[in-house]
Amino acid sequence: MKISEVFEQAKKENRAVLTIFITCGDPNIDFSEKLVEQICKSGADIVELGVPFSDPMADGPVVQAACLRALDAKTTLPQIIAMAKRLRERGIDKPFVLSSYFNPILKYGIEKTVDACVDANIEAMIALDLPYEESDEIASVAEPKGVKFIQFVAPATPLNRVEKISQKDAGFLYYATVEKIEMQDGKLDSKIAQRLADVRKASKLPVACGYEITTEELAHASALESDSVVIASKVVDIAYGTFEEKGEVQALEAVDVFVKKLANAMKR
């Protein structure tokens, strides 16, 4: 299934798209492969395959720690793409987004990375530290081969720039929320909600919004305000914490329960 089809289907069903991020290789690539398969079966619409990096400056402490564990396990970009290919061969058809910093892609080779993504049916790529003005270094290679390059905007991004960035056919626009999220009478903080509404109005693409989700109620509130809710730290924390305490089987079960609750919370 393509990213555009996922958003179209969610719109028909009057719900937000649930995107789940994992740090691949945390604590090892074999577990990550099982984790991605479980997340897809539990109701996620899109999965971000996080590539561990030594200086993940755009991530919080949970993902930073996961990156270090994955690097300790010698996880590499080619291993992650090979994992995605195996999952495709087993029939997992949810869209995959390769989420990396620029350095691992550059080191492996931009064209080589894009070709490997095509082979593994990874539909999109992210380079978190590559600004829009420099994005053609990847996008010019990826887009002709059918791999979308997803762009970021931030709370301080001017709306005319949001509109400009969203002109690219990137599948969706990633809105990186950095404000502390508060609830007011069961709703998102009014300032955050208004800013997100303004971004969605300016954007030519569906808007995916990243949150530090701690409850299904907050997921539901954010689903009302964005086209996709992106969950990262909480799933990473549940998966690794349960794995360490109780083992692989229980970790997959815990993630299954949480993702199913989140999937239900996407309904508007």
Side-chain angles (χ1 to χ4, degrees), residues 15-226:
R15 64 177 179 85
V17 168
L18 176 60
T19 301
I20 301 290
F21 170 97
I22 73 157
T23 302
C24 297
D26 176 33
N28 58 66
I29 200 71
D30 291 337
F31 175 70
S32 293
E33 187 168 337
K34 295 172 184 175
L35 181 61
V36 172
E37 185 168 10
Q38 183 62 69
I39 287 168
C40 290
K41 291 179 178 178
S42 300
D45 297 297
I46 298 172
V47 180
E48 277 190 57
L49 304 175
V51 179
F53 184 55
S54 57
D55 300 285
M57 72 288 286
D59 295 295
V62 172
V63 175
Q64 289 178 12
C67 282
L68 293 178
R69 293 191 295 266
L71 290 173
D72 285 343
K74 310 297 183 186
T75 305
T76 66
L77 177 58
Q79 285 179 342
I80 294 168
I81 297 174
M83 176 193 75
K85 186 174 182 178
R86 290 193 297 271
L87 288 164
R88 293 301 189 211
E89 290 168 349
R90 292 208 298 275
I92 302 299
D93 67 347
K94 300 294 179 71
F96 290 159
V97 177
L98 187 72
S99 182
S100 179
Y101 289 85
F102 184 51
N103 184 269
I105 297 170
L106 183 65
K107 183 177 179 181
Y108 188 56
I110 294 174
E111 188 164 1
K112 193 174 179 181
T113 301
V114 170
D115 288 343
C117 285
V118 172
D119 185 54
N121 195 17
I122 294 173
E123 190 178 349
M125 297 172 61
I126 293 173
L128 290 95
D129 53 347
L130 196 64
Y132 173 74
E133 285 74 15
E134 299 176 24
S135 62
D136 272 351
E137 192 158 355
I138 293 179
S140 63
V141 178
E143 290 170 355
K145 297 185 178 184
V147 178
K148 297 183 182 301
F149 186 73
I150 294 170
Q151 306 280 350
F152 276 80
V153 296
T157 304
L159 294 178
N160 61 344
R161 181 173 169 83
V162 170
E163 183 177 3
K164 177 182 177 181
I165 292 173
S166 72
Q167 299 287 346
K168 292 231 176 187
D169 181 19
F172 60 87
L173 186 68
Y174 207 130
Y175 178 62
T177 305
V178 296
E179 306 101 321
K180 182 179 179 182
I181 296 176
E182 302 285 356
M183 299 290 286
Q184 296 178 349
D185 299 323
K187 299 180 180 180
L188 285 180
D189 176 271
S190 59
K191 291 182 180 179
I192 296 174
Q194 184 58 56
R195 170 61 180 172
L196 186 49
D198 291 342
V199 168
R200 288 180 75 194
K201 185 176 180 179
S203 176
K204 305 299 182 183
L205 293 169
V207 175
C209 195
Y211 293 90
E212 296 295 327
I213 298 296
T214 55
T215 67
E216 292 73 50
E217 290 77 17
L218 183 53
H220 177 68
S222 56
L224 296 175
E225 306 293 346
S226 59

Side-chain angles (χ1 to χ4, degrees), residues 244-265:
E244 282 292 285
E245 184 179 348
K246 300 179 180 179
E248 180 181 281
V249 173
Q250 287 84 350
L252 295 174
E253 289 176 351
V255 169
D256 174 51
V257 170
F258 185 65
V259 173
K260 283 178 177 175
K261 288 181 179 179
L262 289 173
N264 287 331

